[in-house]
């Protein structure tokens, strides 16, 4: 294939070669594009640095460079390639399909040399692997053979082309005339699966981290009728995960290929036949066709009663020509005959090979030789996902997903023989990884350095979190976020204002950022004001509009409906979070109690001192139970709508299927509720009863919910359009409709505003007290008769004072009678 690349492509005729969202290229068309690209690069061999994306331009330029006999150095687009460019001075640089730099060939290139790849999967290191056309052709043929790739297959590009695994998918499928579904979307994005369905994808490749992501999105329940096989490489996949996916594939009619390889072997060295995966989940399998393994005894390995053990050495046509450190090395021929992998392996009696450790992962600390792989295995057996490294004379453990009560440092100390004080645990949301998906050990050491510099200041934020959420500061896990610690739509107002003062700004999506990450974002105070979340500002303005309009100070109706939209917005932000299902439901029930509890308590007081309410108000059900002719009992409609909407949604969210659907497509799920709510808004399905008032007003809540899940411009535009459709004619008052539309449009498009510090503080206080202000103002402002301004101010002040007293009472109750929960909270992985 690689000798006569254009002819090979053309021979496949009209079969699909490249498939994208809006484009299909046949093999014949691809051959024409590749020939033109090769011609454009010229006949003299050049060193071509190609910035790669999984798109048509990259594929054409890559294949064009190979077809023209040039040497390709693929790097990841949008990364810093300064070190690589300085080290090798490429003759040609191709970025976004355009040639940006070209000069006369300045390098002496060995005639066999075809491809240069980074050894680590990153683009920062100038150490490169030199690969020949024979390497590429033989490895592609071997992979295509054991995978039984057919011309009808369609492989999705889940991995970067700068990574040997990603390129091996390209080479092996083009070799057999199969199609490539080009996408840079992650497997957690809807767009990826839309493409898989649209183009009848039969396969995709994954590193271990990919399978973690598949677990999060409910891959087990997906319908993929054309899927034929899934491949895994790029690191060891947990045995339980191998078994689970092997069994899932057996039930669903596809195969799991667990594979082993290295850039120095072009890509693949071994594969585990799918029928053996379930019973041999720790094995790497057998050598690929044309390859062979040897085991060389090493100093610190011992004889294994279950098979021969030693350093794994690979021989085959895929073994690299050698390394390159400088441009002079590009003229060197083959310097490597066999590849010493650095892995400790054993050959089992059944002929399968199993990697049991890594020679280079033995470190010496406190006079002890420590196997880091063994420590990681012990942690994994304890339910902890972690990687280990050595740094500053200590054992560094970057850990995530720890079970409650698990002492990670103690487990690592016992497994290594080190004293517990020699183990330093770094809590992370996700294991640091290279672009290839492999663990980033240098990143662990850099994280340790950064963590040491910020740990001293993190205590201040713990105190702040503890004060707002009524927790014990010492018990708060620095990996936990505001949402993880029980923060909700009521407490976030105080948290946002105080956090802005502490950090100098409000980071994007701060409620879901772990405390330690928030501390790392600290900035100096800006002289021109502070940042205030738009939802907080709107909440403050809306409650003032509500009180002033009811008191007759002015007539600006619509504030309550803006508050209803904000309630939906906060529902999406604080109730539909990445927390586990049971925790989500508990959080939602807690939110309902935070709203309904004060409302019922105030109604009980008002029943004693006034004639404003009836017994039905104690149930927050006046719109359902009446009386319909009361001038005052319907005043609490806003609270009734919010509470009963939340109760209904709590019942929906409690079902596993609804939970899975919302997690998989949060924006689409929210929009489905908007659509139903708008249908009710326009015809009401013939309801015509006051009891359905809650349902009729639900669309404002649903709009806010959809706004919280809108992450792209087109999604925000879609929510705005739905708002415009619903608001026109709803009140029969254009001014009121304009006010509500403006408020909710700001919520959709403007996440935060900068304003004077005094306004931020005032808005925060009013927004935090908005619920109690709404409840009490009906009884407060009438006390001032025609002094309407005093009545409005008094209503606001009374609501603020009662909120402060309630906060103090809650804090006292939590500190005296409740056990701390912060130390038991595990921060979810970042999306």
């Amino acid at each position: 294939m690689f000798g006569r690349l254009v002819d090979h492509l053309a021979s496949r005729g009209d079969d699909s070669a490249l498939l994208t969202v809006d484009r299909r290229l046949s093999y014949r068309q691809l051959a024409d594009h590749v020939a033109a690209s090769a011609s454009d690069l010229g006949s003299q061999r050049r060193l071509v640095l190609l910035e790669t994306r999984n798109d048509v331009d990259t594929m054409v330029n890559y294949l064009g460079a190979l077809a023209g006999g040039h040497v390709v150095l693929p790097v990841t687009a949008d990364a810093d390639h300064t070190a690589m460019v300085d080290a090798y001075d490429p003759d040609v640089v191709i970025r976004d399909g355009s040639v940006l730099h070209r000069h006369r060939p300045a390098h002496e290139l060995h005639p066999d040399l075809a491809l240069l790849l980074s050894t680590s999967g990153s683009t920062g290191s100038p150490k490169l692997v030199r690969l020949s056309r024979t390497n590429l052709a033989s490895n592609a043929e071997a992979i295509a053979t054991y995978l039984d790739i057919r011309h009808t297959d369609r492989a999705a590009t889940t991995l970067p082309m700068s990574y040997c695994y990603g390129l091996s998918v390209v080479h092996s499928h083009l070799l057999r005339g199969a199609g490539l579904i080009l996408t840079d979307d992650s497997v957690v994005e809807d767009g990826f699966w839309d493409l898989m369905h649209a183009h009848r994808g039969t396969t995709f490749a994954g590193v271990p981290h990919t399978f973690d992501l598949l677990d999060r999105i409910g891959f087990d329940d997906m319908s993929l009728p054309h899927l034929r096989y899934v491949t895994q490489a790029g690191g060891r996949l947990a045995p339980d995960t191998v078994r689970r996916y092997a069994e899932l594939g057996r039930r669903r009619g596809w195969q799991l290929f667990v594979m082993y390889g290295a850039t120095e072997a072009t890509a693949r060295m071994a594969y585990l036949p799918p029928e053996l995966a379930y019973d041999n989940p720790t094995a790497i399998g057998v050598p690929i066709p044309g390859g062979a393994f040897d085991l060389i005894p090493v100093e610190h390995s011992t004889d294994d009663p279950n098979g021969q053990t030693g350093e794994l050495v690979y021989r085959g046509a895929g073994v690299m020509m050698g390394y390159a450190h400088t441009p002079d090395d590009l003229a060197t021929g083959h310097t490597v005959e066999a590849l010493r992998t650095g892995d400790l392996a054993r050959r089992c009696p059944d002929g399968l090979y199993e990697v049991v450790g890594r020679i280079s992962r033995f470190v010496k600390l406190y006079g002890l030789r420590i196997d880091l792989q063994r420590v990681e295995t012990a942690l994994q057996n304890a339910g902890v996902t972690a990687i280990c490294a050595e740094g500053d004379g200590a054992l560094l453990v970057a850990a995530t997903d720890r079970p409650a009560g698990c002492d990670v440092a103690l487990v690592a100390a016992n497994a290594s023989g080190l004293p517990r004080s020699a183990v330093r645990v770094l809590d992370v949301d996700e294991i640091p990884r290279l672009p290839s998906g492999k663990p980033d050990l240098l990143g662990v050491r850099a994280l340790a350095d950064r963590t040491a510099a910020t740990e001293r200041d993190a205590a201040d934020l713990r105190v702040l979190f503890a004060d707002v959420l009524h927790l014990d500061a010492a018990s708060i896990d620095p990996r936990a976020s505001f949402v993880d610690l029980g923060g909700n739509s009521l407490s976030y107002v105080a948290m946002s204002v105080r956090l802005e003062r502490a950090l100098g700004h409000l980071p994007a999506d701060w409620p879901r950022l772990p405390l330690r990450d928030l501390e790392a974002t600290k900035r100096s105070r800006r002289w021109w004001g502070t940042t205030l979340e738009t939802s907080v500002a709107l909440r403050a303005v809306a409650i003032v509009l509500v009180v002033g309009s009811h008191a007759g100070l002015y007539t600006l109706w619509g504030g309550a409906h803006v508050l209803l939209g904000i309630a939906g917005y906060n529902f999406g932000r604080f109730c539909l979070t990445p927390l586990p299902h049971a925790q989500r439901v508990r959080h939602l029930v807690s939110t309902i109690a935070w709203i309904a509890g004060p409302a019922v308590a105030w109604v009980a007081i008002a029943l004693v001192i006034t004639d404003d309410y009836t017994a039905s108000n104690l149930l927050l059900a006046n719109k359902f139970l009446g009386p319909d002719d009361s001038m005052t009992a319907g005043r609490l409609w806003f609270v009734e709508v919010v509470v009963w909407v939340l109760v209904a949604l709590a019942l929906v969210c409690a079902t596993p299927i609804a939970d899975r659907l919302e997690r998989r497509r949060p924006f689409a799920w929210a929009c489905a509720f908007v659509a139903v709510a708008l249908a009710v808004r326009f015809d009401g399905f013939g309801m015509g009863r006051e009891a359905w008032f809650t349902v009729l007003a639900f669309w404002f809540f649903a709009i806010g919910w959809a706004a919280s899940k809108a992450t792209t411009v087109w999604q925000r535009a879609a929510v705005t359009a739905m708002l415009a459709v619903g608001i026109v004619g709803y009140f029969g008052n254009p001014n009121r409709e304009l006010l509500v539309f403006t408020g909710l449009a700001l919520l959709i498009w403007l996440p935060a505003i900068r304003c004077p510090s005094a306004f931020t503080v005032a808005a925060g206080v009013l927004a935090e007290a908005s619920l109690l202000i709404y409840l009490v103002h009906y009884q407060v402002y009438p006390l001032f008769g025609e002094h309407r301004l005093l009545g409005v101010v008094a209503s606001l002040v009374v609501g603020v004072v009662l909120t402060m007293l309630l906060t103090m009472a809650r804090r006292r109750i939590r500190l005296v009678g409740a056990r701390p929960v912060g130390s038991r909270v595990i921060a979810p992985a970042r999306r």
Side-chain angles (χ1 to χ4, degrees):
M1 164 179 160
F2 292 96
R4 298 172 60 84
L5 181 55
V6 174
D7 290 343
H8 169 79
L9 297 174
S11 70
R12 296 291 177 173
D14 292 326
D15 287 348
S16 295
L18 307 181
L19 302 156
T20 69
V21 172
D22 53 7
R23 194 172 178 186
R24 172 194 174 274
L25 240 64
S26 69
Y27 268 89
R28 181 177 289 108
Q29 291 171 320
L30 178 60
D32 292 340
H33 287 295
V34 169
S37 175
S39 175
D40 185 54
L41 288 171
S43 58
Q44 289 184 290
R45 294 185 77 210
R46 302 175 186 271
L47 175 59
V48 179
L49 185 143
L50 173 64
E51 294 194 3
T52 64
R53 290 186 170 84
N54 290 329
D55 60 19
V56 172
D57 286 341
T58 297
M59 192 67 66
V60 166
N61 284 307
Y62 172 69
L63 297 174
L66 288 182
H70 306 287
V71 177
V72 188
L73 171 51
V75 296
T76 304
D78 300 326
D80 183 2
H81 315 304
T82 304
M84 198 73 72
V85 172
D86 290 346
Y88 288 96
D89 187 25
D91 303 315
V92 176
V93 174
I94 301 178
R95 177 180 301 149
D96 293 331
S98 301
V99 175
L100 302 181
H101 171 59
R102 186 206 301 265
H103 55 64
R104 296 181 57 128
H107 299 86
E108 184 180 350
L109 304 171
H110 191 277
D112 293 342
L113 184 62
L115 185 66
L116 298 167
L117 291 176
S118 171
T119 55
S120 64
S122 68
T123 58
S125 171
K127 182 181 178 182
L128 301 175
V129 170
R130 297 183 291 116
L131 298 174
S132 67
R133 278 174 173 70
T134 299
N135 292 149
L136 303 183
S138 64
N139 209 246
E141 178 60 39
I143 295 170
T145 298
Y146 72 72
L147 290 180
D148 186 25
I149 297 177
R150 307 163 188 173
H151 78 279
T152 53
D153 280 321
R154 302 286 182 269
T157 55
T158 50
L159 302 166
M161 285 181 60
S162 56
Y163 175 33
C164 68
Y165 189 7
L167 275 181
S168 72
V169 173
V170 171
H171 296 160
S172 56
H173 285 81
L174 290 180
L175 177 67
R176 292 296 171 87
L180 292 170
I181 303 171
L182 301 183
T183 176
D184 278 317
D185 285 345
S186 164
V187 295
V188 299
E189 297 181 65
D190 294 342
F192 177 85
W193 300 108
D194 290 342
L195 273 177
M196 281 287 286
H197 282 285
H199 296 306
R200 300 189 173 191
T202 61
T203 180
F204 63 90
V207 297
H209 183 52
T210 308
F211 290 83
D212 293 339
L213 298 177
L214 292 176
D215 288 342
R216 293 184 199 172
I217 62 172
F219 176 75
D220 291 15
D221 299 322
M222 284 189 180
S223 173
L224 296 167
H226 304 288
L227 188 63
R228 207 167 66 81
Y229 56 96
V230 175
T231 63
Q232 182 273 319
R236 181 176 181 268
L237 191 62
D240 288 346
T241 305
V242 173
R243 279 199 177 100
R244 185 156 51 83
Y245 276 88
E247 173 60 19
L248 177 64
R250 185 193 66 76
R251 286 190 282 109
R252 293 299 183 90
W254 50 265
Q255 295 180 309
L256 173 68
F257 284 85
V258 176
M259 310 185 299
Y260 168 80
T263 308
E264 290 85 346
T266 306
R268 301 279 69 78
M269 291 184 279
Y271 75 100
L272 181 61
E275 64 273 14
L276 303 179
Y278 187 86
D279 294 324
N280 301 273
T282 60
I284 62 170
V286 297
I288 65 173
F293 285 135
D294 289 328
L295 294 172
I296 300 177
V298 295
E299 178 186 352
H300 47 270
S301 70
T302 58
D303 290 336
D304 189 326
N306 297 317
Q308 180 187 357
T309 302
E311 182 182 3
L312 191 66
V313 178
Y314 176 74
R315 289 181 171 83
V319 174
M320 66 177 175
M321 297 174 66
Y323 290 115
H325 300 273
T326 69
D328 293 340
D329 295 328
L330 304 184
T332 306
H334 293 255
T335 60
V336 180
E337 293 184 0
L339 178 64
R340 300 188 64 150
T341 65
D343 285 330
L344 287 173
R346 68 181 179 193
R347 186 178 186 276
C348 301
D350 56 9
L352 298 179
Y353 286 83
E354 180 181 347
V355 172
V356 296
R358 178 83 181 153
I359 295 174
S360 64
R361 301 214 65 206
F362 282 81
V363 298
K364 200 162 188 178
L365 292 169
Y366 288 68
L368 301 175
R369 183 186 290 274
I370 298 166
D371 181 356
L372 298 181
Q373 181 65 53
R374 180 182 176 186
V375 178
E376 291 174 1
T377 300
L379 288 165
Q380 185 178 49
N381 292 337
V384 181
T385 302
I387 59 172
C388 300
E390 183 273 335
D392 292 331
L395 175 61
L396 305 177
V397 180
T400 186
D401 297 334
R402 70 164 76 176
C406 178
D407 189 334
V408 175
L410 183 60
V411 174
N414 291 339
S416 63
L418 290 170
R420 191 177 184 282
S421 60
V423 179
R424 185 177 174 198
V425 179
L426 306 170
D427 292 314
V428 295
D429 295 328
E430 289 186 341
I431 298 299
R433 297 185 185 278
L434 299 166
S436 64
K438 294 182 179 180
D440 182 1
L441 299 180
L442 291 178
V444 172
R445 297 187 185 102
L447 175 63
D449 293 339
R450 294 194 303 271
T451 302
T454 60
E455 279 180 347
R456 294 186 299 273
D457 298 326
D460 293 337
L461 279 190
R462 275 200 293 270
V463 172
L464 192 156
F465 270 58
D467 188 44
V468 173
L469 298 174
H470 319 316
L471 301 172
D472 177 10
S475 71
I476 292 180
D477 190 327
R479 295 178 301 159
S481 69
F482 172 77
V483 171
D484 299 325
L485 292 169
N488 56 30
S489 59
L490 298 174
S491 55
Y492 100 97
V493 177
M495 191 74 243
S496 66
V497 174
R498 295 182 62 178
L499 190 64
E500 203 283 338
R501 278 184 259 160
L503 299 180
H505 73 126
L506 275 177
D509 201 23
W510 67 263
R512 297 188 188 181
L513 289 181
L515 183 147
R516 59 157 182 261
D517 290 353
L518 285 172
E519 176 59 39
T521 69
K522 193 169 186 177
R523 299 177 187 171
S524 59
R525 173 69 59 197
R526 297 179 182 178
W527 66 269
W528 61 88
T530 56
T531 302
L532 179 65
E533 287 200 0
T534 302
S535 64
V536 175
L538 287 173
R539 200 154 143 182
V541 171
I543 194 61
V544 172
L545 292 180
V546 168
V547 176
S549 296
H550 286 164
L553 183 62
Y554 42 71
T555 304
L556 289 170
W557 300 110
H561 292 84
V562 173
L563 287 174
L564 194 54
I566 295 171
Y569 185 75
N570 289 331
F571 167 76
R573 295 174 74 196
F574 302 115
C575 295
L576 301 182
T577 63
L579 293 174
H581 180 211
Q583 214 167 334
R584 261 190 176 188
V585 175
R586 285 197 300 270
H587 197 164
L588 185 49
V589 171
S590 174
T591 299
I592 295 170
W594 272 62
I595 300 171
V600 171
W602 181 253
V603 170
I605 294 171
L607 279 172
V608 174
I609 63 176
T610 74
D611 296 325
D612 290 343
Y613 301 130
T614 66
S616 65
N617 292 112
L618 278 173
L619 301 176
L620 301 180
N622 172 257
K623 288 295 181 182
F624 293 92
L625 304 179
D628 298 331
D629 58 351
S630 171
M631 294 296 294
T632 57
R635 288 174 171 178
L636 299 181
W637 73 265
F638 168 76
V639 178
E640 290 186 12
V641 169
V642 172
V643 169
W644 289 109
V645 163
L646 290 177
V647 168
L649 290 176
L651 295 175
V652 172
C653 292
T655 62
I657 187 171
D659 184 73
R660 285 197 300 270
L661 288 171
E662 195 285 328
R663 290 177 192 273
R664 189 176 300 169
R665 299 196 175 186
F667 179 71
W669 182 247
C671 286
F673 280 84
V674 175
V676 172
L678 285 177
V680 175
R681 173 257 182 274
F682 279 106
D683 61 31
F685 297 113
M687 297 171 184
R689 291 171 49 201
E690 278 294 299
W692 292 110
F693 183 86
T694 299
V695 181
L696 294 173
F698 170 63
W699 77 272
F700 291 100
F701 184 98
I703 285 288
W705 174 8
S708 73
K709 299 302 180 183
T711 58
T712 64
V713 171
W714 78 263
Q715 287 175 343
R716 293 188 183 94
V719 177
T720 307
M722 290 186 286
L723 170 62
V725 169
I727 200 67
V728 174
Y730 184 82
F731 300 110
N733 182 331
N735 292 333
R736 188 175 184 180
E737 291 162 5
L738 179 61
L739 187 150
V740 175
F741 178 84
T742 302
L744 296 182
L746 288 173
L747 188 70
I748 296 167
W749 291 97
L750 189 64
I753 58 175
R754 291 206 67 83
C755 53
S757 299
F759 180 82
T760 297
V761 173
V765 170
L766 290 174
E768 186 180 5
S770 57
L771 174 62
L772 286 181
I773 292 173
Y774 186 89
L775 291 172
V776 306
H777 82 282
Y778 289 112
Q779 284 73 48
V780 174
Y781 75 76
L783 299 177
F784 294 85
E786 294 301 314
H787 300 287
R788 294 183 175 88
L789 178 59
L790 286 177
V792 170
V793 172
S795 297
L796 299 178
V797 170
V798 171
V800 168
V801 170
L802 288 177
T803 299
M804 293 173 62
L805 292 174
L806 181 61
T807 299
M808 292 171 60
R810 280 173 172 156
R811 182 181 296 118
R812 182 175 294 275
I813 292 170
R814 290 288 291 271
L815 292 179
V816 173
R819 58 188 175 89
V821 299
S823 59
R824 294 166 55 87
V825 174
I826 302 299
R830 191 170 304 162
R831 285 122 316 260

